[in-house]
Amino acid sequence: PGRKRDFSPVLWSQYFESMEDVVVENETGKDNTFRIYKSGLEGPVLLLLHGGGHSALSWAVFTSAIINRIQCRIVALDLRGHGETKVRNPEDLSAETMSKDVGNVVEALYGDLPPPIMLIGHSMGGAIAVHTAVANLLPSLLGLCMIDVVEGTAMDALNSMQNFLRSRPKTFKSLENAIEWSVKSGQIRNLESARVSMVGQVKQCEGAASPECPKAIVEGIIEEEEEEEDEEGGGSVNKRKKEDDTETKKEHLYTWRIELAKTEKYWDGWFRGLSNLFLSCPTPKLLLLAGVDRLDKDLTIGQMQGKFQMQVLPQCGHAVHEDAPDKVAEAVATFLIRHRFTEPIGGFQ
């Protein structure tokens, strides 16, 4: 209490070394450009795939954590329809199309001789990582890591997904407002990560009264100190808020970059059969979960047979790699060292 938390956005460049747009020609000869963020110069490539609605920036804090533990290169990708990636058909979020995108980006980056690659994906990105591996789109695939995605839980959750999406604010009056909402609602429990990653989830509305931005201002957060005097004694917060709201109507609002509710027809295809697909991948595998209750039958049997390595990271929300970036970095680093895919640095045990 007393100390105001800082909800201002932070630039990607504090966490990644470089950013580029990778051009991939599609069948019609028209170009798709995929935004990627990179760090590291040697060692295996950790190719990071974010969850639905998120962007490559959700891996920012994880990236600086893992780069200090092992020799590796990071490539975090904005999947189609997300972040700053621009494709001809952003609505096509089928598992097949998105897996092909991943293969195409790797080919555009490295040609016919890609370096060893470990695929790491969160939620939807975890499913896409598995589909990419199973379709054999990455010839140099070393290993596979899924973060908080299990077929049984995901399929069960699909029914409540639309309700969850409807419960979110439609617009935010500023980036700060969006970051504050994400932390206070528990979407991202780590303020540091929210400050860099929410920028990839929302965008400025073209016109404040455009169809995707309803005129109504939806307050993303509840004012905590309703009637307290502000420091300068300049009137109550409530009065000031009304003035802010009038101001807001003149500004451009922020809204979600992707309307996830409209992607519903692809959800089933991401997750159905995922457990067996994961188990069938011949490479070493790691499953990181926010809770042990998330295991389904196929994975429980596979786990008992030692077909993959599993770690539960308690006190995390669904965005495990954002909530506990150090723990996730530690788990991934340990996995890579154990399989002799890389070397530790900086005395990492």
Side-chain angles (χ1 to χ4, degrees):
R3 290 229 342 263
K4 271 189 85 78
R5 291 206 284 173
D6 185 357
F7 295 106
S8 59
V10 173
L11 282 172
W12 65 267
S13 49
Q14 295 206 17
Y15 297 94
F16 297 101
E17 288 163 16
S18 63
M19 168 188 88
E20 60 188 83
D21 288 322
V22 178
V23 178
V24 170
E25 284 191 20
N26 63 13
E27 292 71 45
T28 55
K30 290 283 189 289
D31 293 339
N32 290 332
T33 61
F34 291 87
R35 167 67 53 90
I36 62 168
Y37 300 86
K38 297 164 78 175
S39 280
L41 294 169
E42 51 185 354
V45 169
L46 308 188
L47 183 55
L48 311 177
L49 308 180
H50 59 80
H54 292 255
S55 78
L57 297 176
S58 71
W59 299 101
V61 187
F62 165 82
T63 293
S64 48
I66 193 135
I67 274 293
N68 292 322
R69 286 171 164 86
I70 52 171
Q71 277 190 353
C72 65
R73 287 174 274 181
I74 294 289
V75 174
L77 166 68
D78 278 348
L79 293 163
R80 70 167 47 220
H82 291 75
E84 298 290 347
T85 282
K86 304 274 181 283
V87 295
R88 282 298 302 274
N89 187 359
E91 279 78 49
D92 178 8
L93 295 189
S94 66
E96 187 186 0
T97 301
M98 291 169 92
S99 315
K100 282 189 180 142
D101 288 342
V102 175
N104 290 337
V105 166
V106 168
E107 193 180 345
L109 280 173
Y110 304 111
D112 295 335
L113 287 171
I117 292 173
M118 167 137 180
L119 262 179
I120 302 178
H122 168 247
S123 200
M124 172 195 82
I128 301 308
V130 171
H131 286 284
T132 307
V134 169
N136 219 359
L137 295 167
L138 300 181
S140 61
L141 189 66
L142 266 188
L144 183 61
C145 171
M146 283 202 305
I147 299 179
D148 215 42
V149 55
V150 164
E151 178 185 352
T153 322
M155 298 302 286
D156 291 346
L158 292 188
N159 305 323
S160 53
M161 190 63 185
Q162 289 288 10
N163 289 339
F164 162 72
L165 292 174
R166 273 195 293 273
S167 75
R168 305 193 302 181
K170 298 269 185 298
T171 57
F172 300 100
K173 56 186 182 187
S174 64
L175 276 175
E176 284 81 355
N177 191 227
I179 292 164
E180 183 169 357
W181 172 81
S182 77
V183 174
K184 289 192 171 171
S185 66
Q187 299 287 300
I188 302 172
R189 298 183 185 181
N190 176 347
L191 176 58
E192 184 189 2
S193 192
R195 288 176 66 190
V196 61
S197 84
M198 270 309 275
V199 179
Q201 288 199 54
V202 295
K203 61 177 180 185
Q204 245 180 340
C205 299
E206 279 73 27
S210 69
E212 63 204 78
C213 274
K215 280 196 177 110
I217 310 292
V218 180
E219 274 294 281
I221 47 157
I222 300 99
E223 288 289 335
E224 284 183 347
E225 312 119 302
E226 281 298 303
E227 289 294 345
E228 271 181 37
E229 296 288 307
D230 64 359
E231 283 79 330
E232 297 80 37
S236 78
V237 174
N238 251 3
K239 182 163 158 245
R240 212 174 59 235
K241 221 171 117 256
K242 286 196 179 65
E243 286 158 15
D244 285 355
D245 280 357
T246 341
E247 280 302 297
T248 306
K249 292 194 169 55
K250 297 177 202 163
E251 296 165 27
H252 286 297
L253 297 168
Y254 284 80
T255 188
W256 301 101
R257 282 180 187 253
I258 178 169
E259 282 192 71
L260 282 175
K262 291 187 174 170
T263 65
E264 181 169 11
K265 61 176 176 214
Y266 299 115
W267 297 350
D268 192 86
W270 297 341
F271 303 119
R272 188 173 296 283
L274 186 64
S275 292
N276 283 317
L277 289 174
F278 177 68
L279 292 169
S280 73
C281 292
T283 58
K285 296 176 284 294
L286 176 63
L287 178 63
L288 299 177
L289 297 176
V292 82
D293 55 328
R294 287 166 159 79
L295 271 192
D296 58 22
K297 186 178 151 216
D298 292 327
L299 285 182
T300 305
I301 295 169
Q303 163 67 7
M304 287 171 174
Q305 293 169 339
K307 290 192 175 169
F308 61 93
Q309 198 181 317
M310 186 181 84
Q311 199 163 330
V312 177
L313 302 173
Q315 284 104 44
C316 290
H318 178 49
V320 184
H321 58 302
E322 294 201 63
D323 295 350
D326 285 324
K327 286 186 179 140
V328 173
E330 213 148 277
V332 171
T334 305
F335 176 85
L336 284 157
I337 293 165
R338 179 177 297 159
H339 287 284
R340 298 198 167 86
F341 292 150
T342 187
E343 302 289 319
I345 52 174
F348 174 68
Q349 295 293 312

